[in-house]
């Protein structure tokens, strides 16, 4: 399977988003850049201020791709050896903050504003502030994470503001808002916005940058009453069946809802269930040829349909493309 990424669209999306922002822009490239591939990072670096990942492995991949701007590691992982100075871990306790300071490692402070996943409590923040004061250290940033879109964002933002109000060193480069809050007034955004899903085109007025496709490797005329694929699926009518080099190992999951792949812009129904590596589709009436592409994702609507079929969210569909796909950047 191939993942084709339009880098000009990606950069265009970022420019549009930045036009709505008054502060900094942090590009979220965790989970292989939401399926787009960490290799997009150096191409978007000129239009972003920093990057965010979940693990040190992801940060190292970003460095290997050629980026030079700061990379925030926000998954609760601390380094065992001193990392590259561009990698910035996050701490939630005074002990971890002191360890980073003593090791000469710049760091962010994570704040728990209600998600109860990661982050310091009010008491822990005071302890972290005391440690920072004793060493004359200032965190690179202070942040929290929105857990329920705009319905919780306002309350959480106010809590972050309250928790950091009396601690001057925690007022520099605060960030909590993500893609869900792009329509907020600019003066309510703190100092930086972290942007993931919208950057990749999943927000109003933006364009998706990714397509997922695979080649047709066989076309055959199959009579009604014949089995197709595993299990007991039987054709109810004669059909032209195309076999596509794509299966559930590539992110095209088995589901009870009908699936399709697009060939020449036509939605061609999946016959039976996808196999691990191959999928059969009905291309009756479509003048397709062996060697041309069938698209699992051609546009935003395809991703949204897959999310509905899988009973999940767009994020999971995109990050489910992190397997063996060849990535092509245009």
């Amino acid at each position: 399977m191939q993942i084709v990424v339009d880098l000009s669209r990606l950069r265009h999306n970022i420019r549009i988003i930045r036009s709505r922002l008054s502060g900094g822009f942090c590009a979220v490239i965790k989970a292989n850049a939401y399926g787009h591939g960490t290799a997009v990072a150096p191409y978007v670096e000129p239009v972003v201020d920093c990057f965010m990942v979940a693990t040190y492995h992801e940060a190292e991949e970003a460095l290997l791709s050629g980026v030079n701007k700061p990379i925030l590691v926000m998954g609760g992982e601390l380094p065992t050896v001193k990392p590259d100075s561009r990698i910035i871990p996050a701490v939630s306790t005074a002990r971890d903050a002191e360890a980073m300071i003593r090791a000469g490692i710049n760091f962010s402070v994570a704040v728990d504003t209600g998600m109860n996943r990661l982050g310091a409590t009010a008491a822990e923040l005071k302890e972290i502030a005391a440690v920072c004061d004793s060493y004359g250290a200032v965190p690179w940033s202070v942040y929290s994470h929105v857990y329920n879109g705009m319905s919780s964002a306002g309350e959480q933002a106010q809590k972050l503001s309250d928790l950091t109000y009396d601690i001057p060193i925690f007022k520099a480069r605060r960030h909590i808002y993500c893609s869900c809050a792009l329509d907020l007034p600019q003066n309510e955004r703190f100092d930086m916005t972290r942007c993931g899903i919208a950057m990749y085109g999943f927000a109003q007025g933006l364009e998706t940058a990714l397509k997922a496709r695979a080649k047709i490797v066989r076309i055959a005329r199959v009579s009604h009453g014949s089995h197709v694929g595993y299990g007991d699926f039987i054709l109810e009518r004669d059909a032209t069946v195309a076999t596509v080099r794509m299966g559930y190992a590539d992110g095209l999951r088995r589901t009870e809802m009908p699936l399709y792949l697009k060939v020449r812009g036509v939605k061609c129904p999946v016959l039976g269930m996808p196999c691990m590596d191959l999928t059969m589709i009905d291309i009756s009436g479509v003048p397709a040829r062996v060697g041309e592409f069938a698209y699992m994702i051609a546009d935003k609507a395809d991703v949204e349909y897959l999310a509905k079929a899988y009973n999940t969210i767009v994020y999971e569909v995109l990050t489910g493309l992190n397997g063996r796909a060849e990535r092509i950047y245009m």
Side-chain angles (χ1 to χ4, degrees):
M1 189 175 78
Q2 294 179 344
I3 303 297
V4 182
V5 180
D6 187 329
L7 295 168
S8 63
R9 279 192 178 187
L10 194 55
R11 288 190 291 260
H12 180 67
N13 288 341
I14 294 171
R15 290 189 183 99
I16 291 176
I17 294 168
R18 294 212 70 160
S19 71
R20 305 177 189 174
L21 305 177
S22 58
F25 184 99
C26 179
V28 182
I29 57 169
K30 63 179 180 175
N32 210 14
Y34 289 45
H36 294 66
T38 306
V40 303
Y43 293 98
V44 303
E45 185 170 31
V47 291
V48 307
D49 297 303
C50 60
F51 298 95
M52 190 278 277
V53 297
T55 69
Y56 275 90
H57 177 68
E58 291 180 336
E60 289 165 354
E61 282 189 330
L63 289 179
L64 287 173
S65 75
V67 303
N68 290 295
K69 290 183 177 177
I71 305 167
L72 283 64
V73 180
M74 301 168 69
E77 181 184 9
L78 292 178
T80 55
V81 296
K82 187 172 182 178
D84 186 289
S85 61
R86 290 165 289 183
I87 299 178
I88 302 172
V91 304
S92 299
T93 67
R95 182 180 65 180
D96 289 343
E98 185 171 17
M100 296 300 98
I101 294 169
R102 291 174 65 89
I105 299 172
N106 211 348
F107 62 92
S108 292
V109 175
V111 183
D112 184 2
T113 57
M115 190 172 185
N116 291 303
R117 183 176 68 174
L118 294 171
T121 63
E124 289 170 329
L125 281 175
K126 292 179 180 179
E127 294 172 358
I128 294 171
V131 167
C132 289
D133 285 342
S134 68
Y135 285 94
V138 177
W140 191 89
S141 74
V142 177
Y143 74 94
S144 190
H145 191 72
V146 173
Y147 64 82
N148 198 25
M150 288 309 299
S151 63
S152 69
E155 181 181 348
Q156 288 185 263
Q158 185 60 55
K159 187 170 183 179
L160 177 63
S161 181
D162 292 343
L163 288 171
T164 57
Y165 181 78
D166 293 325
I167 309 176
I169 62 170
F170 287 172
K171 288 186 176 181
R173 206 181 278 119
R174 290 180 296 177
H175 48 107
I176 185 172
Y177 287 120
C178 53
S179 297
C180 70
L182 295 183
D183 292 327
L184 278 174
Q186 292 186 349
N187 61 355
E188 295 183 14
R189 296 184 190 279
F190 292 104
D191 307 296
M192 186 167 70
T193 299
R194 304 191 306 269
C195 200
I197 198 70
M199 182 175 88
Y200 301 108
F202 290 86
Q204 186 175 2
L206 303 176
E207 296 183 337
T208 52
L210 175 149
K211 297 181 187 296
R213 66 189 188 184
K215 286 185 177 181
I216 295 172
V217 295
R218 177 180 184 265
I219 295 175
R221 189 66 180 170
V222 182
S223 301
H224 74 279
S226 300
H227 286 88
V228 177
Y230 291 122
D232 57 2
F233 179 82
I234 297 175
L235 282 177
E236 296 181 351
R237 60 178 177 82
D238 295 349
T240 302
V241 177
T243 302
V244 181
R245 182 64 74 185
M246 173 195 300
Y248 59 78
D250 303 294
L252 186 63
R253 303 185 198 171
R254 296 181 169 214
T255 176
E256 294 302 316
M257 277 186 63
L259 295 173
Y260 64 83
L261 300 179
K262 285 180 177 175
V263 179
R264 301 193 179 194
V266 178
K267 294 180 180 179
C268 299
V270 170
L271 299 173
M273 291 290 184
C275 307
M276 182 183 291
D277 315 299
L278 299 163
T279 297
M280 282 66 78
I281 59 175
D282 184 351
I283 61 166
S284 300
V286 180
R289 298 177 180 178
V290 170
E292 71 175 277
F293 289 105
Y295 286 79
M296 178 171 71
I297 298 172
D299 52 39
K300 186 183 304 184
D302 296 333
V303 183
E304 292 170 344
Y305 182 83
L306 287 171
K308 183 178 179 180
Y310 300 161
N311 191 29
T312 186
I313 56 177
V314 164
Y315 298 74
E316 191 172 345
V317 174
L318 294 174
T319 57
L321 301 174
N322 281 343
R324 58 193 175 186
E326 172 192 8
R327 284 176 171 78
I328 298 172
Y329 299 97
M330 302 172 59

